[in-house]
Amino acid sequence: VERCQRLAQRFQAYCYHSRFKLDDRKKRHDEVIGLFNKPGGVLAITTQVCEMSLDISSDILISELCPITSMIQRMGRNNRFAKPGDGTLGEVYFYPPAENVPYSKEDLTGVNEFLRALVDVPAVSQSLLQALLEELGPREEVNNRYMAFLEDGPWASSREVALRAVQDYKVPAILDYDIDQYEERKANGMPTDGLVLAVSRTQ
């Protein structure tokens, strides 16, 4: 989110991520979609939340490297309303980020091979992407062993606690200047979820 905000400020672009209050996120969501539906150019810088939540079609997509499944989802935001034979092509560019967060090395399995397979392809099809995903994507491991983390209910024993305390775990919060409005809505039986903001536990 911080990288997204910095880039959006630098390029004076629209910024879209998941860490808005619900009320503000709805407004920004509608604004971004509205701009992409108008003639003319628009630049939006987003986090991975746009992979499925934004119903837009771009002419150019520039993205940090990410897991192959995410790459395919992001490519789906590019030239998405084209029809076979109409001659329209979108442009897609991927670049390595300064850091892999929020992804691990395992998440990025096969990414470079995936990109090399697409470099000289004049027009990428959904069937080609599916074939490359099956060939180069990470393999899912089947594990039928007892997993206390999932089966112990809300009180996991100590060895499973580390699994729950992930670094990027989010907690709901209310901004200081929204506290009065939150209390007023709550006292009047009105919904308060629009004021809730998801923040990292480490902040």
Side-chain angles (χ1 to χ4, degrees), residues 15 20 43 50 67-68 70 72 75 115 134 181 184 191 193 200:
C15 182
F20 288 103
L43 175 62
C50 82
I68 293 175
S70 295
I72 293 173
M75 291 167 73
L115 287 176
E134 292 174 1
Q181 188 178 1
E184 182 180 349
D193 55 335
S200 172

Side-chain angles (χ1 to χ4, degrees), residues 21-22 52 60 89 108 119 159 178 185 191:
K21 294 184 300 185
L22 182 58
M52 291 180 285
I60 300 173
L89 293 173
L108 300 177
V119 166
R159 69 179 182 275
D178 284 333
R185 289 189 184 186

Side-chain angles (χ1 to χ4, degrees), residues 6 24 26 77 100 172 189:
R6 285 198 304 269
D24 293 336
K26 287 177 180 176
R77 306 302 103 189
N100 289 334

Side-chain angles (χ1 to χ4, degrees), residues 18-32:
S18 62
R19 221 173 286 174
F20 288 103
K21 294 184 300 185
L22 182 58
D23 286 350
D24 293 336
R25 183 173 172 182
K26 287 177 180 176
K27 292 176 186 176
R28 181 53 55 96
H29 180 274
D30 292 342
E31 285 176 359
V32 172

Side-chain angles (χ1 to χ4, degrees), residues 21-180:
K21 294 184 300 185
L22 182 58
D23 286 350
D24 293 336
R25 183 173 172 182
K26 287 177 180 176
K27 292 176 186 176
R28 181 53 55 96
H29 180 274
D30 292 342
E31 285 176 359
V32 172
I33 289 180
L35 288 168
F36 272 84
N37 287 332
K38 291 180 180 179
V42 59
L43 175 62
I45 297 179
T46 80
T47 61
Q48 64 268 35
V49 72
C50 82
E51 289 172 12
M52 291 180 285
S53 66
L54 282 180
D55 185 19
I56 61 173
S57 178
S58 66
D59 297 316
I60 300 173
L61 171 72
I62 303 172
S63 171
E64 293 181 346
L65 290 180
C66 54
I68 293 175
T69 51
S70 295
M71 294 174 85
I72 293 173
Q73 287 285 355
R74 295 178 192 189
M75 291 167 73
R77 306 302 103 189
N78 183 256
N79 197 34
R80 65 181 306 197
F81 302 124
K83 297 178 181 178
D86 67 5
T88 61
L89 293 173
E91 297 179 56
V92 178
Y93 302 89
F94 285 97
Y95 66 94
E99 51 185 303
N100 289 334
V101 174
Y103 306 114
S104 66
K105 274 188 175 182
E106 291 74 22
D107 292 331
L108 300 177
T109 298
V111 164
N112 292 327
E113 293 84 352
F114 177 79
L115 287 176
R116 281 196 290 269
L118 296 175
V119 166
D120 296 322
V121 178
V124 175
S125 67
Q126 189 66 39
S127 58
L128 173 60
L129 293 176
Q130 181 64 34
L132 289 173
L133 174 62
E134 292 174 1
E135 178 186 351
L136 301 170
R139 299 286 180 262
E140 292 187 8
E141 295 184 7
V142 178
N143 190 339
N144 293 321
R145 292 181 298 173
Y146 169 69
M147 302 180 73
F149 168 64
L150 298 176
E151 300 178 31
D152 276 358
W155 307 110
S157 55
S158 59
R159 69 179 182 275
E160 288 83 31
V161 171
L163 294 173
R164 297 188 176 196
V166 292
Q167 182 178 4
D168 197 36
Y169 185 74
K170 302 293 189 299
V171 294
I174 302 292
L175 296 174
D176 290 348
Y177 57 78
D178 284 333
I179 291 176
D180 290 343

